[in-house]
Amino acid sequence: MIRKKKVSDDTTEVTFILPAPIEGQIVSVVGDFNDWQPDALHFKASTDNTFAATTTLPAGQQYIFRYLTEHGRWFDEDAADGFQPNDYGSGNCLLYT
C-alpha cells in the first residue's frame, strides 16, 4: 500500500507500507528519487504489525521505484500508480505525487 499526504503545494509525503513480516530481511525502497541506492530508504517496523518507509518528494512529479531485499530479490508494489517495462526484462512501479 502507498499512502500520500500533501505537505505543501510543493511537497508530498509518501509512505510505502508492507505487511509484516518481510522474510526477516532488510527491505529498501529504491527508485529514481534516491538514485536507486539500497541504503537510502529502509522499511521499519510499525506499531500496527506492518513495515513502513516514509519520504518527502516534490509534488506533481512521476517517479519509478521497486522494493529490494538485502539478498538482492526485487519485488513490486501491487498498489503502485502504474507499471512500465524496464531494461532488465521486468518492470518498474510508477508513483505520481
Side-chain angles (χ1 to χ4, degrees), residues 25-37:
Q25 297 183 50
I26 297 171
V27 177
S28 302
V29 182
V30 293
D32 57 357
F33 54 86
N34 62 15
D35 294 323
W36 298 92
Q37 297 299 310

Side-chain angles (χ1 to χ4, degrees):
M1 173 180 14
I2 299 174
R3 188 177 312 139
K4 300 175 198 173
K5 177 182 171 186
K6 189 172 187 172
V7 177
S8 70
D9 288 340
D10 299 331
T11 58
T12 301
E13 181 182 88
V14 180
T15 302
F16 302 89
I17 302 167
L18 292 175
I22 306 173
E23 303 170 13
Q25 297 183 50
I26 297 171
V27 177
S28 302
V29 182
V30 293
D32 57 357
F33 54 86
N34 62 15
D35 294 323
W36 298 92
Q37 297 299 310
D39 292 330
L41 185 59
H42 292 289
F43 281 92
K44 295 180 174 49
S46 298
T47 57
D48 62 354
N49 291 328
T50 63
F51 281 76
T54 301
T55 190
T56 302
L57 299 170
Q61 303 292 316
Q62 174 182 297
Y63 300 95
I64 56 174
F65 74 96
R66 292 190 80 194
Y67 300 144
L68 179 64
T69 70
E70 66 184 305
H71 298 297
R73 184 175 74 86
W74 293 92
F75 62 102
D76 297 321
E77 170 59 63
D78 293 337
D81 295 327
F83 299 92
Q84 71 177 30
N86 63 29
D87 294 338
Y88 302 99
S90 58
N92 291 323
C93 301
L94 298 176
L95 170 70
Y96 303 111
T97 58

